[in-house]
Amino acid sequence: MTSKLYYTSSKTSQWDTKIQQIFEENGFYYITLEETAFYPEGGGQPSDTGSIEGITVLDVTKSEDGNILHKLECRPGSEFVHCELNWERRFDHMQQHSGQHLLSAVCRELFDANTVSFHLGTENITIDIIAPQWTEEHTIATEKQVNQYIYENRKLLTYFVTKEQIQALPVVKMPKVSENIRIVEIKGIEYNPCGGTHVEQTGEIGLIKILKTEKQKEHTRLYFKCGLRALNDFSDSLNVLSALSTKFNTGRKEIINRVEKLEDDYKQLAATHEKLKLENAKFLADSLLENNGDGFISHIFEDSSLKELQFLSATMVQKEKVLVLFASFKEQKILLAHSGSSSIHCGQYFKETLSSYNGKGGGNEKSAQAGFASQNDLMAFYEFTAEQIRSKFGHDE
């Protein structure tokens, strides 16, 4: 059986050992070692990476019989191999996992909120706690206490106990296994059955920052980062704030005020724009209606959006009994509309004809719109529809 260095010496990053077994499967090689510091994925913690005799370790898993399998792209050239752990990844996992234990302990200590799940991803780290009513005050109090325990530099001890010995410990929850029960103890705080890798003292966690919370039915999800991840997140946020401060030529504390002023200015400009657009639509509608000889008006717009065409068509059909067919080259969309004065059912017509022109869309009796994959398809449908309306519906107005 492989000696698990990640339990006996969690800070080992390089070692020499002997290959026990090797086999090939689906083009990859799987080996077991006499000693390994490579942690296999499990308990919410991803596996370690690194190299064996210079060959990249792609994955580390635990087989059904308990062996630690190291997945490689090619076979090592010797029986005795040099192994190197990706220490940056390992220490990150140790910080995040130990931080999770401490954060969960504080949530339980302060608010009797037990953790029901834990996720350690490359970006996000989360816990779900049984706390349906979680407020900002809860977050502040939790953050303050959890970082206080970090400053106190409490010891983290890991050891194995029997199923009889664990009965005497005030563990967070009883483990599912009855043999090789590993306990992670944070001195004076908690005893937790866990098989993951951890730091030796809480001070090594560095800091814990809760980034946001989300309601999850009867649970609350806490997003947080520990140690170097938290520091990097702070640096990224500071860079954004500094850039905004420079752009607005103001202090960081005044950025919100400047943004709110920009929002107010934007709303005023948007209101003015809508007013001008309304006046322009009325003018354009009158101009197009001058050519309303047979109750049908068609037009192609180079730069107008579908929303603008919908506004224009609504203005026109309110003014006169007219059927309009508009095309937007900007968005490759077509609009067909009337006020109820035409016998054509816009939505039904689109449903019957669009598929022949690679178009998708629909609508109701008085209005329909569609989008096209290409301008050629749009023009083909536009010309066909205009011809159909003139030949079949031109005298219905």
Side-chain angles (χ1 to χ4, degrees):
M1 186 66 70
T2 300
S3 174
K4 301 177 178 63
L5 298 177
Y6 51 82
Y7 282 160
T8 59
S9 178
S10 64
K11 291 186 176 179
T12 295
S13 61
Q14 295 189 35
W15 69 102
D16 296 313
T17 189
K18 181 181 179 181
I19 294 177
Q20 287 183 324
Q21 183 184 11
I22 185 166
F23 64 91
E24 184 180 2
E25 186 175 290
N26 298 323
F28 294 100
Y29 290 89
Y30 295 84
I31 69 171
T32 61
L33 304 170
E34 286 190 352
E35 297 174 304
T36 185
F38 289 105
Y39 180 80
E41 182 175 359
Q45 181 174 323
S47 65
D48 285 325
T49 59
S51 65
I52 297 175
E53 205 61 24
I55 304 167
T56 299
V57 176
L58 302 174
D59 194 14
V60 186
T61 56
K62 184 181 288 187
S63 64
E64 292 183 0
D65 57 5
N67 283 320
I68 309 301
L69 302 178
H70 307 75
K71 181 180 179 180
L72 309 176
E73 281 187 326
C74 56
R75 186 187 187 104
S78 62
E79 183 180 4
F80 293 91
V81 291
H82 178 71
C83 304
E84 292 188 14
L85 196 68
N86 181 340
W87 176 248
E88 183 178 349
R89 176 183 170 90
R90 157 62 73 79
F91 187 64
D92 170 65
H93 290 167
M94 291 167 63
Q95 282 190 317
Q96 309 313 314
H97 202 160
S98 300
Q100 177 266 313
H101 275 231
L102 190 58
L103 180 60
S104 291
V106 170
C107 289
R108 187 173 58 256
E109 173 189 323
L110 297 184
F111 306 111
D112 197 28
N114 288 315
T115 296
V116 293
S117 68
F118 163 53
H119 170 72
L120 201 173
T122 55
E123 289 294 331
N124 294 321
I125 309 102
T126 64
I127 56 172
D128 286 1
I129 57 175
I130 304 175
Q133 304 298 327
W134 188 270
T135 67
E136 181 65 21
E137 286 72 22
H138 289 82
T139 298
I140 293 171
T142 301
E143 233 181 35
K144 181 178 180 181
Q145 184 59 60
V146 78
N147 282 289
Q148 178 60 39
Y149 285 144
I150 290 175
Y151 307 149
E152 292 174 6
N153 205 22
R154 303 286 187 101
K155 287 185 177 297
L156 273 85
L157 305 176
T158 60
Y159 46 85
F160 289 89
V161 297
T162 64
K163 62 180 180 180
E164 290 77 22
Q165 290 171 327
I166 197 174
Q167 300 299 324
L169 297 177
V171 292
V172 173
K173 61 180 179 180
M174 295 301 293
K176 296 179 181 179
V177 298
S178 58
E179 296 180 348
N180 297 319
I181 304 170
R182 184 168 179 265
I183 299 296
V184 176
E185 176 188 351
I186 306 178
K187 273 293 185 180
I189 298 176
E190 72 164 15
Y191 296 82
N192 201 335
C194 177
T197 59
H198 294 274
V199 298
E200 295 176 351
Q201 292 182 273
T202 59
E204 292 181 85
I205 298 170
L207 65 103
I208 295 177
K209 179 63 183 175
I210 300 173
L211 304 174
K212 66 175 182 177
T213 64
E214 284 181 354
K215 184 81 167 58
Q216 300 284 329
K217 295 183 179 179
E218 294 304 311
H219 302 154
T220 295
R221 179 165 296 169
L222 305 185
Y223 290 79
F224 65 99
K225 291 185 179 181
C226 307
L228 292 173
R229 284 202 197 190
L231 179 61
N232 291 336
D233 186 84
F234 175 77
S235 297
D236 291 342
S237 299
L238 185 59
N239 288 337
V240 172
L241 283 173
S242 297
L244 289 172
S245 180
T246 300
K247 191 174 186 64
F248 291 139
N249 193 26
T250 187
R252 281 181 280 170
K253 292 183 178 180
E254 295 300 316
I255 289 175
I256 295 297
N257 292 334
R258 293 297 299 271
V259 171
E260 289 175 347
K261 185 178 184 305
L262 283 176
E263 288 179 336
D264 291 338
D265 291 345
Y266 173 78
K267 289 177 182 178
Q268 293 179 14
L269 287 172
T272 302
H273 177 70
E274 285 297 318
K275 183 178 179 180
L276 291 173
K277 189 167 68 173
L278 176 62
E279 293 175 356
N280 182 64
K282 290 178 179 178
F283 174 81
L284 184 55
D286 290 337
S287 176
L288 291 170
L289 287 171
E290 288 180 2
N291 301 316
N292 180 21
D294 58 357
F296 172 57
I297 296 176
S298 59
H299 194 82
I300 297 173
F301 296 83
E302 293 281 347
D303 300 316
S304 298
S305 66
L306 176 63
K307 186 176 180 180
E308 290 171 331
L309 298 188
Q310 288 172 327
F311 186 82
L312 176 60
S313 67
T315 302
M316 293 176 66
V317 300
Q318 284 179 355
K319 283 177 172 287
E320 294 187 20
K321 294 181 179 181
V322 63
L323 175 65
V324 297
L325 175 67
F326 291 156
S328 166
F329 277 174
K330 178 181 180 180
E331 296 185 356
Q332 292 189 174
K333 291 182 179 179
I334 279 183
L335 170 71
L336 181 66
H338 60 79
S339 61
S341 57
S342 174
S343 61
I344 185 172
H345 189 296
C346 299
Q348 188 64 35
Y349 174 78
F350 272 32
K351 183 178 180 180
E352 294 171 351
T353 56
L354 274 176
S355 60
S356 300
Y357 297 89
N358 300 314
K360 292 183 180 180
N364 54 37
E365 180 182 355
K366 297 180 182 180
S367 178
Q369 51 276 328
F372 298 85
S374 70
Q375 200 170 99
N376 288 336
D377 290 330
L378 178 145
M379 283 304 302
F381 180 81
Y382 176 85
E383 292 170 355
F384 172 79
T385 300
E387 182 181 348
Q388 287 288 98
I389 290 174
R390 290 192 178 98
S391 62
K392 293 186 177 182
F393 304 97
H395 301 290
D396 292 339
E397 309 304 328

